[in-house]
Every structure is written in C-alpha cells, then in structure tokens.
Amino acid sequence: VTSSGVATWPSASAVATDAAGRYDLGGLYAGKYRIEFTPPTDSPWAQEAWNGADTVATGADVTVSFDTPATGVDAVLDAGGSVSGLVTDPEGTPLEGIEVTVTHKGTGGRYDKVALPGADGRYVVGGLTSDTHVVGFRDPAGRYQTEYYADTAD
C-alpha cells in the first residue's frame, strides 16, 4: 500500500498489509494523498488505486489531517489477468533468468511487473489489469538483445 502526495504523485510512504489485510500509513503530513494497492508480482490480484480507480492519476484524493485519522480507505482487489510464455534462444533452447517485464501501456511504465523464467524458460506474470500491456525481454547478462513480444524492437 503506497501513499502519494498530490504534486507529481511521488511515493510518500509505503507499508505491507498484515495477515488480515489491514494497513496503517502513519506519519504522513497533513494534506491530500492518493492511495494505491500493489500486490506482489506473483499475486493473482490486480493493482488499483483507492476508490476503485485503475491508476493513481485517476484515483480519488484522501485528505489527511493531524487530528483525525483518515479511515475507511479500503480496497477490494479484483482478480487480474495473466501473461505466460516460454523464452528460448534462436535454436529453441529454453533460457533461464531473462527478465520479463509486463508494462501497462496506458501508464508509460508506471505499472511494471517483472518475472524471471526458471530453467525450463517458462514464466507467468499475474495480477494484470484488463487493458493493453507491453511484454519485454531483457538479458541482465547482456548475451541477448532486448526485445519485445512479437519480435519488435520496442
């Protein structure tokens, strides 16, 4: 769970939920914030901003004051879609450790999810919102050129 200040939406504070799904973003200055709920990459749940918005930019403001806690800033996350596949070299040999990045196209990289294929070259990235995404493949070791789904350069 991340709170973002209104100016350019930089992260102001972040915490993990407890086993019951509760969180407390204490220590914020008085002002307006937007809250986003970001599950782990391997989670089946889709990310969202408070009040059911897809992004922080379209989310609703939460006003924080020193004397009254902002309560009821809850979310019910929807199950997300997933992207899965197999990463191979030009000869068809599975590749392990290639960084697979799935980016929500409408946010300009704001919502990236990353997976690393196992020894069999297979990967699954879950918890994606229903929309257009770009899938990229990058070799951290630099042996293979970065490319994107459908053999495009970007």
Side-chain angles (χ1 to χ4, degrees), residues 116-127:
L116 296 174
D120 64 355
R122 298 195 176 280
Y123 69 90
V124 176
V125 178

Side-chain angles (χ1 to χ4, degrees), residues 40-54:
T41 298
D42 59 351
S43 167
W45 308 111
Q47 179 171 331
E48 72 174 57
W50 181 66
N51 214 15
D54 288 337

